[in-house]
Amino acid sequence: MKEADPTSEALEDATIQQRIHGRLRTDIMLGRIAPGEPLTIRGLAEKLGVSAMPVREALRRLAAEQAIELLGNRRVRIPIMSINRFEDLLAARIALESEAAVRALPHITAETIAEMERHDTALDAAMARNDYDQWLAANFAFHRTLYAARPDSIFLPLIESLWLQVGPFLRMALENVGPSYTVDRHVEALQALRERNVMALRIAIEADLRDGITHLGQRLMRLDEALTLPAKHQGRRPKSRKISPPPA
């Protein structure tokens, strides 16, 4: 009887862990799991058709990336967004992504721009049919293609950590208030890339983040505040201002 190869088993376990981590990471980044939604290791393992061990390891890694909060009784959840946390995430995204874009500029090719244009077209199509899953995926892909143009960029892992934290909230904002842009900042960014214009690129990326995340976030916060207003008028002390999850 042939003995089991421990090296092969270890590689298989590592592959499963990578797959589960990648699946959960994508689900969180695209907002498929709502902020505050309670999750259990057992429930996730059953959903994904694996044992609890790779799920536990994936959640440990996601917690290190601040994408989830570990609660008691083997439960986890996506952090609920507060105003201060939202503002910190926006400031961090602007600082890192505008700098990553500028540093990637010398490495941009015609093929890079063509790929970004394809993602932008997919984004517009998804927006037209209110497909928020594809909207977020195409938007992140547009930015990732730009930042990844610089080989071995240390910025991209840091940026993706921020995307993990803001993705569920952005999805919630899209579902509650919908996207509404007056200027297509992606067009401005693409033009800046063609012209090799550093300042125009930095401005376009910052404006894209402010027009997108800030606008959506502020609208959802106003909506959330309006929903808590009756409690204030009835003399009850409102709860601390957190962004409510979307209605079921």
Side-chain angles (χ1 to χ4, degrees):
M1 182 176 179
K2 186 177 180 180
E3 295 183 1
D5 183 352
T7 302
S8 177
E9 291 180 355
L11 288 174
E12 183 178 354
D13 289 343
T15 301
I16 294 173
Q17 290 177 6
Q18 283 292 114
R19 179 171 59 83
I20 298 305
H21 175 259
R23 166 69 183 277
L24 292 175
R25 200 171 189 269
T26 298
D27 284 349
I28 293 171
M29 191 176 292
L30 298 184
R32 293 169 182 164
I33 306 172
E37 180 181 344
L39 303 167
T40 64
I41 293 175
R42 174 182 289 183
L44 288 171
E46 290 177 354
K47 178 182 177 180
L48 297 171
V50 296
S51 67
M53 185 179 298
V55 173
R56 189 180 295 109
E57 175 61 22
L59 293 177
R60 185 191 66 78
R61 293 173 60 184
L62 290 167
E65 294 179 277
Q66 301 184 57
I68 62 169
E69 293 178 331
L70 299 178
L71 307 174
N73 299 322
R74 298 184 178 181
R75 293 180 300 118
V76 299
R77 72 173 182 180
I78 305 297
I80 298 174
M81 188 66 72
S82 68
I83 293 176
N84 288 339
R85 184 166 177 263
F86 169 76
E87 291 176 345
D88 286 350
L89 286 170
L90 174 63
R93 282 199 65 183
I94 288 173
L96 287 175
E97 294 191 41
S98 59
E99 187 64 25
V102 168
R103 290 173 182 264
L105 184 55
H107 305 277
I108 297 297
T109 64
E111 289 74 19
T112 308
I113 293 175
E115 183 178 352
M116 292 174 66
E117 288 175 331
R118 287 193 293 272
H119 292 313
D120 196 42
T121 299
L123 186 156
D124 290 338
M127 186 184 300
R129 61 179 184 269
N130 292 327
D131 186 341
Y132 302 128
D133 199 89
Q134 290 302 311
W135 187 96
L136 286 167
N139 186 59
F140 286 139
F142 177 92
H143 287 268
R144 183 185 289 108
T145 301
L146 170 57
Y147 310 146
R150 183 184 182 186
D152 301 321
S153 171
I154 67 168
F155 285 89
L156 190 54
L158 299 173
I159 290 168
E160 289 190 338
S161 175
L162 298 176
W163 290 352
L164 276 170
Q165 296 178 65
V166 80
F169 174 69
L170 187 54
R171 173 66 170 264
M172 185 190 303
L174 285 167
E175 291 179 342
N176 279 273
V177 302
S180 57
Y181 298 104
T182 56
V183 179
D184 190 341
R185 302 298 184 182
H186 285 184
V187 170
E188 292 183 350
L190 288 166
Q191 186 60 30
L193 291 174
R194 294 188 190 96
E195 297 174 353
R196 305 287 170 169
N197 189 323
V198 172
M199 185 57 66
L201 178 60
R202 187 182 292 275
I203 291 172
I205 294 299
E206 178 170 346
D208 180 46
L209 296 177
R210 290 192 182 280
D211 290 354
I213 295 178
T214 303
H215 180 69
L216 286 169
Q218 288 175 344
R219 287 187 65 188
L220 183 55
M221 286 175 183
R222 287 196 295 269
L223 174 62
D224 187 71
E225 188 175 48
L227 293 174
T228 62
L229 202 56
K232 295 179 182 179
H233 286 313
Q234 293 173 16
R236 297 195 300 271
R237 185 176 179 179
K239 297 179 180 179
S240 60
R241 289 188 59 188
K242 303 287 185 180
I243 304 304
S244 305

